[in-house]
Amino acid sequence: DLDLGQGEGWVDEPHIELPTPEQMTKSQELKAEIAKLQGVLDTSTPDLESAQAKWERDMLAAENEWAVVRPSRANSKGGATLTLLDDQSLLAGGKNPQEDVYEIEARTGLKAITAVRLEVLRDASLPHGGPGRDPEGNFFLSELEVTAAPADKPEATEKVVFKETAADESQGGYNVKNLIEKKYGTAGWAIESGLDPAPPRRQAVLIPEKPFGFEAGTLLAIRLKHEMFHAARNLGRFRLSVTSIAEPKNIVQLEAKVWPALAIPPTQRTEDQKKSLAAAYRALAPALQPTRDRMAEVKKALADLGIATALIMRERPSYERPSTFLRVRGSFLSKGDKVFAGVPGSLSPLPE
């Protein structure tokens, strides 16, 4: 697999299958069953629609199960300015160093904390509306560290060890799980940039090995590290919150791009919004779990056939002309201007 630290590890190169006659027969049988199962997963029913309506109400109510953390101190080691906004989010401005660490201090009265949530938010002051500070409005967050101490004994700090992460959006090659894996310089969390319309927020949830918090209140020290080589891909606007619920990952089970539709009354949604929400629910509906389990079994059986493949050349699906970025000072990790494929002016232009 490609892995140059720019997300290439997720690249899926086009290929063709070269099965034996026996493999071809079995493959066709398995693919036919996959198509049948997919038809079940794609079909709505009155029972599913009723269950979806309850699920939507539960998802909207889940926001009330998180306690927003109000920072008492916010500092950028790289010299950026962190401004506290009315919604308790922090907005970065001023210097945008190649690497930065944001240090946040806060107090919470919540006990038995089961998760920490990071919301990254759009803002008109950021490139392309953010939520990051790189030229595309993206960011690269390499690690999120948390220490906790009793409010009545602040010197007794404990490091919070996270065992799991989840997010409602991650860029290919920059999965949120990288936040708890120590790989300096190349591994971190980023989001998809260039979405139109862009979601107003994305969320990441970090789950500790055991709940934490103290009876007298808890002092939190949070460090957000941006440690990508020569990048200046720091967070632009973000907000932190905590919860003590048993299933904190539920808040990110819906993709960020679908969340805005959830806030719209069902009768006012577009057809695309209705389809997106229905598909999102069917992907996790308990009633369809047996079908999803069987789908996983059949896909594994198909993969286990071990059909040989060969790489081929093929046009990549795209809505814009092929493009790339100039590299600042020759550094392959530092993006400059975006340039598009073209031809000399003496020739006919490429079709749009």
Side-chain angles (χ1 to χ4, degrees):
D1 292 337
L2 292 172
D3 193 2
L4 300 178
Q6 304 181 86
E8 296 88 343
W10 67 273
V11 173
D12 181 21
E13 295 293 348
H15 64 272
I16 58 172
E17 294 184 343
L18 303 171
T20 65
E22 294 79 10
Q23 287 174 327
M24 173 68 81
T25 300
K26 187 61 177 176
S27 173
Q28 289 175 341
E29 293 175 1
L30 294 172
K31 288 179 179 178
E33 184 174 358
I34 288 173
K36 184 177 179 180
L37 292 168
Q38 190 62 52
V40 174
L41 295 175
D42 290 342
T43 301
S44 185
T45 67
D47 286 345
L48 285 173
E49 291 173 2
S50 176
Q52 178 185 330
K54 180 181 182 304
W55 168 76
E56 290 184 15
R57 293 192 295 271
D58 291 344
M59 288 295 292
L60 290 171
E63 287 289 344
N64 299 323
E65 297 173 328
W66 290 83
V68 174
V69 171
R70 177 183 174 83
S72 57
R73 175 179 173 271
N75 178 64
S76 158
K77 293 190 72 174
T81 301
L82 298 178
T83 302
L84 182 64
L85 304 183
D86 292 340
D87 64 355
Q88 310 308 314
S89 66
L90 288 164
L91 178 64
K95 289 183 63 177
N96 186 28
Q98 290 189 350
E99 297 182 23
D100 204 351
V101 178
Y102 297 163
E103 298 175 325
I104 315 299
E105 295 179 1
R107 175 172 176 164
T108 178
L110 200 64
K111 297 180 285 291
I113 296 170
T114 56
V116 176
R117 177 175 64 164
L118 170 65
E119 297 173 87
V120 294
L121 309 166
R122 288 177 58 77
D123 192 272
S125 68
L126 301 170
H128 293 281
R133 303 189 71 192
D134 81 359
E136 295 180 322
N138 210 334
F139 61 87
F140 176 90
L141 185 66
S142 53
E143 191 174 354
L144 191 154
E145 293 181 345
V146 177
T147 59
D152 57 353
K153 197 174 181 181
E155 70 279 3
T157 60
E158 299 177 4
K159 182 176 181 179
V160 178
V161 179
F162 295 106
K163 65 178 181 179
E164 190 178 356
T165 59
D168 55 15
E169 183 181 297
S170 292
Q171 182 179 331
Y174 297 105
N175 194 282
V176 70
K177 68 181 181 181
N178 292 332
L179 291 182
I180 58 175
E181 296 179 355
K182 306 294 189 293
K183 295 180 180 178
Y184 176 82
T186 61
W189 179 46
I191 59 169
E192 295 290 347
S193 56
L195 296 180
D196 187 17
R201 73 167 181 181
R202 283 84 159 184
Q203 307 173 87
V205 170
L206 292 87
I207 301 174
E209 290 185 344
K210 60 182 180 180
F212 66 95
F214 303 94
E215 288 293 331
T218 302
L219 301 178
L220 299 173
I222 302 168
R223 287 163 56 89
L224 302 167
K225 296 183 177 182
H226 313 82
E227 294 179 334
M228 189 178 194
F229 303 125
H230 314 298
R233 298 183 63 186
N234 304 303
L235 278 170
R237 184 182 172 198
F238 61 96
R239 182 169 55 206
L240 294 156
S241 54
V242 292
T243 188
S244 59
I245 59 176
E247 298 294 338
K249 287 195 300 181
N250 285 350
I251 197 72
V252 293
Q253 65 182 346
L254 184 63
E255 291 185 356
K257 63 183 179 182
V258 184
W259 258 102
L262 195 63
I264 300 173
T267 56
Q268 298 178 24
R269 292 171 185 161
T270 66
E271 284 303 313
D272 284 345
Q273 290 169 336
K274 292 176 182 178
K275 289 178 181 178
S276 295
L277 277 171
Y281 176 69
R282 289 197 298 269
L284 50 86
L288 293 175
Q289 189 59 49
T291 304
R292 293 195 295 271
D293 290 343
R294 178 56 185 165
M295 175 74 86
E297 292 173 2
V298 178
K299 287 185 174 180
K300 182 179 184 303
L302 182 60
D304 288 346
L305 290 178
I307 297 175
T309 61
L311 293 175
I312 60 173
M313 295 184 67
R314 183 175 64 203
E315 281 287 336
R316 293 189 181 278
S318 175
Y319 296 100
E320 67 174 26
R321 187 176 296 173
S323 61
T324 188
F325 289 90
L326 298 176
R327 300 294 160 172
V328 179
R329 299 188 304 277
S331 171
F332 72 91
L333 290 175
S334 299
K335 290 183 179 179
D337 294 336
K338 189 175 186 179
V339 293
F340 295 86
V343 296
S346 59
L347 301 176
S348 299
L350 293 173
E352 293 295 334

